[in-house]
Amino acid sequence: MRRVDLGTTPSVLLPVFAFACGGPTEPGPPPALAVVSGGAQTVAIGSHVPQPIVFQAEDPNGAPLPAQFTFTLRSITCSTSNGTICGSTPGDDQLVNPTLTTGSDGKATFSGWTLGTKIRESKCLGAYPGTSQPKNGGDVGLAVVCVFPLPGPPAQLTKPSTDNQQAPAGSTLTGMAVGVLDQYGNSLGCIQVSAAFCVGGLDVQITFTPSAGGLVSQTQVTTNRGGAAADWTIVSGVNTLTIAVGSLSVTYSATGL
């Protein structure tokens, strides 16, 4: 695994750095490969990355190299929960025509990146010299570029709290919760990267509606943590609590004794 310093400034979008490592495609060290633009985009999961990624091969002084240089992009897995660590473990993104050759200006542009459907705090590509797989399992290549995925719109609701409870009339059932997932089963909550901030997530409005006589501690809440909960005070007999997000809803039942 290779640790990549992406900085510690609290921000949803983390900076992208290129770094030199890996093996040459011909005698002599490979050029440095910089990410000129296209990094740190925020992209919906399962979607095509809209802004092309532009790379530039550079000499030790940072000047563009006019000679052609071939490299290959691969989806890799990176973690930012304890510093940023990237390895050569494959990610789930789909890449079209991932082998690139720089032109006379030293630049090469990649526009064939579609995010996979599994949420991570970042989705990253590693750039490797040549067209072959890296020989070293811990080699993350010449450069890394990341974008940050957002979950899709609400598509599923879950009931993490206990259903069909029985309690004396007038009792308060605490923390009656709902979880909100997208069509791929990802939580709409943001991913905690550090104690200071998290990335991703979507705000949704959640409505709690008790049956006649029942009371809730909050009737509506907007959250980016992928769910919400309310305390529910029940009355004698059968009680219901409907929790809705747009046209989606789940219902809890409880009996007041």
Side-chain angles (χ1 to χ4, degrees):
M1 300 294 284
R2 173 69 175 269
R3 183 180 295 273
V4 184
D5 182 9
L6 295 187
T8 57
T9 303
S11 171
V12 170
L13 297 182
L14 303 179
V16 175
F17 286 77
F19 52 90
C21 65
T25 55
E26 57 186 26
L33 192 62
V35 179
V36 176
S37 64
Q41 299 178 63
T42 301
V43 183
I45 201 75
S47 298
H48 180 261
V49 175
Q51 182 182 347
I53 312 298
V54 179
F55 297 90
Q56 180 172 276
E58 299 176 343
D59 67 18
N61 297 317
L65 286 178
Q68 289 187 333
F69 176 71
T70 297
F71 61 96
T72 299
L73 300 173
R74 295 177 179 86
S75 175
I76 61 175
T77 300
C78 296
S79 171
T80 57
S81 58
N82 183 24
T84 299
I85 302 174
C86 295
S88 60
T89 303
D92 67 338
D93 298 347
Q94 291 79 51
L95 309 181
V96 177
N97 298 324
T99 297
L100 308 174
T101 300
T102 57
S104 59
D105 59 356
K107 291 184 174 65
T109 300
F110 179 62
S111 59
W113 188 1
T114 299
L115 299 191
T117 58
K118 185 175 181 180
I119 283 280
R120 293 184 180 275
E121 57 262 48
S122 60
K123 300 288 235 174
C124 302
L125 302 182
Y128 300 87
T131 60
S132 61
Q133 294 287 334
K135 296 179 181 179
N136 181 353
D139 182 5
V140 292
L142 296 171
V144 170
V145 59
C146 298
V147 299
F148 301 99
L150 287 176
Q156 309 170 55
L157 302 183
T158 64
K159 296 197 300 182
S161 301
T162 302
D163 201 2
N164 298 310
Q165 297 185 59
Q166 294 185 347
S171 297
T172 297
L173 308 180
T174 60
M176 302 303 296
V178 64
V180 188
L181 309 178
D182 68 12
Q183 62 178 315
Y184 305 112
N186 298 301
S187 171
L188 268 65
C190 65
I191 298 173
Q192 199 73 35
V193 175
S194 72
F197 69 105
C198 61
V199 297
L202 292 178
D203 291 332
V204 295
Q205 186 177 74
I206 300 174
T207 302
F208 299 84
T209 306
S211 56
L215 297 172
V216 289
S217 57
Q218 55 187 351
T219 57
Q220 287 189 336
V221 61
T222 299
T223 180
N224 69 347
R225 297 290 179 173
D231 296 338
W232 178 26
T233 301
I234 61 175
V235 298
S236 179
V238 176
N239 294 253
T240 59
L241 174 63
T242 300
I243 308 176
V245 176
S247 62
L248 305 171
S249 67
V250 293
T251 300
Y252 284 102
S253 297
T255 302
L257 304 177

